[in-house]
Amino acid sequence: MLLKPNVSVHNLNVFYGKDHVLHDVSVEIPNKKITVIIGPSGCGKTTLLKSFNRLIDSVDGVKVTGEVLVDGENIYDPKAEVTHIRKKMGLLSQRPYPLPMSIYDNVAYGPRLCGEKNKKKLDRIVEHFLHTASLWDEVKDKLNSPAARLSVGQQQRLCLARGLAVGPEIILGDEPTSALDPKSSKHIEERFMELKQYYTIILVTHILRQAKRLADYVLFLYMGRLIEHGPAKEIFENPKEKMTKEYIQGIIS
Amino acid sequence: MDKKNNIHVRRLEENIFKSLMVFSTGAIVLALALILWTVIRKGLPHLSLGMLTQAPKSGYYLGKDGGILNAILGSLYLTGGAALLAILVSLPVVLYLNVYLKKGSPLAYIARFSFDILWGIPSIVYGAFGFTIMLLFGVKSSLLGGMIAVTFLIFPIMSRSMDEVVRMVPGELMDASYALGATKLETAFKVVVRQALPGISTAVLISFGRGIGDAASLIFTAGFTDSLPTSLLAPAATLPLAIFFQFGTPMPEVQGRAYASALTLTLIILVISVAARLLTRKFTKHVV
Ligand SMILES: Nc1ncnc2c1ncn2[C@@H]1O[C@H](COP(=O)(O)OP(=O)(O)O)[C@@H](O)[C@H]1O
Ligand SMILES: [Mg+2]
């Protein structure tokens, strides 16, 4: 009962108009681990990640077939409630997009959508998750100032706190460190290492070294196909597929 | 050698086009300054406190005592009401086009295209249209009638200029809100409107300026009266028509007051623009 995966994908196909960008992807994402999606740019990593929380719905002319089960529920079922699904996941995008409001209101945004109005509770939530994202000490004196005035690195941690405040089980990250300087990137990576005890984390990266530092489980995508997936050690040290080996050795990119 | 030549040509191009731009900018600024100067030079001597604080007394249009308070209030009420009505219609339309419809939607294309056409229709036509509608509902020339005509007149301007700024809100920002479990409606009002607020307020200002300066749409719809506006259903005076009537008399004294009224109208627009800018600045410090 406990071993049911948070996310499992069955025969997922995604089309953008006539372009077939994901071919028949099937995989089970292990719980409470960091799963890293690697592959060259344009291979469909972002698309796969966005199909986990149906953010892909906002793309023009998108068509999805197959299933993505989150906690056993097919999120592409016409009866599925999309806002409910999304509350189970926090998202970090390539560039942080703080909402046009204060630092406090950014973190309180999700809980407020769920109807939380109690000021004391909100205060506690905001403080707690800013701590978790290790941003609290830097912003505790300016919670009411605009989020846009934070540095990009701080904004990304704010987005992490904001995502966690919704109470998700899963954290999705689409190259979440690619806009950050090395120090901020390290900061974010450390958070992921702490958070994986409590959350199922799925990260996209095209930086192999980062993948090696973080991954417990790896998916290798190439031209929209899931070439190979398995525990990080296996994929990095002893890949079964020739293509995976070549990608890891830097022969193809 | 060839390369050098090329650089010469390019530098020449650069200079020619720069001069052209400077010239055009200069010409526009000069024209504006001339108009303003004329209004100020001819209007200021006739502008007095009495003119701003009294309704016309009998014989005002023949050069006797009184003022244009009726028209000032009428214009403010009428355009203010129209701007409000136009916001109530434009904002939902613009949010629908940008948040609910996909980028390539034919409906969005048709809507934008219609706004562009509506924008170009002369305001007298809106007046006539408003008048037809009033007849239909049995409304006589009145503040309300004028308000409705001006709402029609400024709706395309407001929608189209709001649309331009709301379109600039990054899709990723909206996605960030969706990812937190927000619905489209919540995203539209809590994120998109906030992010686009400076542009939205500019759109409202432009429309207000266009509405308060228009005479033709009001001739049939608002009527004119020398008393202060007190009822939505009674005729109301407006500044553009007051200016028009005063210019229409042969008396230099009254024509001077027409310039003074025009100056008043300009000042009203100026004051409202500045006030709105200051207010928006207070609300927009959060824009990312
Ligand atoms: N909005 C879109 N419309 C059409 N095609 C897209 C869109 N976004 C991405 N694509 C295409 O889909 C493929 C996969 O893109 P993506 O998932 O962004 O790859 P990655 O994140 O691995 O770089 C690419 O070929 C890309 O050109
Ligand atoms: Mg990508």
Side-chain angles (χ1 to χ4, degrees), chain A residues 6-61:
Chain A
N6 288 136
V7 182
S8 62
V9 184
H10 302 302
N11 305 102
L12 182 72
N13 284 279
V14 175
F15 304 82
Y16 290 146
K18 288 202 181 69
D19 295 340
H20 194 175
V21 286
L22 281 185
H23 297 259
D24 236 4
V25 174
S26 297
V27 64
E28 312 232 308
I29 307 284
N31 285 357
K32 308 259 162 34
K33 293 242 159 65
I34 299 182
T35 297
V36 171
I37 306 173
I38 56 172
S41 136
C43 69
K45 304 182 294 293
T46 300
T47 305
L48 181 61
L49 196 77
K50 278 188 178 177
S51 65
F52 293 156
N53 68 352
R54 281 189 52 179
L55 217 47
I56 203 171
D57 289 7
S58 0
V59 180
D60 279 347

Side-chain angles (χ1 to χ4, degrees), chain B residues 129-165:
Chain B
F129 178 65
F131 189 62
T132 320
I133 292 191
M134 286 159 57
L135 283 182
L136 206 65
F137 289 97
V139 181
K140 299 215 178 61
S141 288
S142 60
L143 190 58
L144 182 65
M147 227 180 247
I148 291 170
V150 173
T151 305
F152 279 117
L153 172 72
I154 64 179
F155 163 73
I157 302 168
M158 196 184 275
S159 307
R160 203 61 175 89
S161 28
M162 275 188 190
D163 183 46
E164 285 302 323
V165 293

Side-chain angles (χ1 to χ4, degrees), chain A residues 46 94 174-175:
Chain A
T46 300
Q94 253 171 334
D174 187 0
E175 308 190 18

Side-chain angles (χ1 to χ4, degrees), chain A residues 72-83:
Chain A
E73 182 197 8
N74 178 17
I75 62 170
Y76 288 97
D77 189 312
K79 275 177 285 184
E81 180 53 57
V82 70
T83 56

Side-chain angles (χ1 to χ4, degrees), chain B residues 148-221:
Chain B
I148 291 170
V150 173
T151 305
F152 279 117
L153 172 72
I154 64 179
F155 163 73
I157 302 168
M158 196 184 275
S159 307
R160 203 61 175 89
S161 28
M162 275 188 190
D163 183 46
E164 285 302 323
V165 293
V166 170
R167 252 211 273 197
M168 302 304 284
V169 174
E172 290 92 339
L173 184 63
M174 282 147 82
D175 280 351
S177 167
Y178 295 143
L180 294 163
T183 59
K184 292 201 165 185
L185 190 69
E186 287 158 345
T187 304
F189 281 100
K190 293 179 190 209
V191 175
V192 176
V193 169
R194 266 171 192 251
Q195 175 72 9
L197 202 60
I200 289 179
S201 78
T202 305
V204 173
L205 277 179
I206 292 175
S207 320
F208 186 90
R210 175 78 177 80
I212 202 169
D214 191 71
S217 61
L218 299 173
I219 294 180
F220 312 123
T221 54

Side-chain angles (χ1 to χ4, degrees), chain B residues 58-80:
Chain B
S58 66
Y60 174 77
Y61 298 99
L62 301 168
K64 296 248 177 67
D65 247 10
I68 51 165
L69 184 64
N70 60 333
I72 295 176
L73 287 181
S75 268
L76 285 177
Y77 292 169
L78 195 147
T79 320

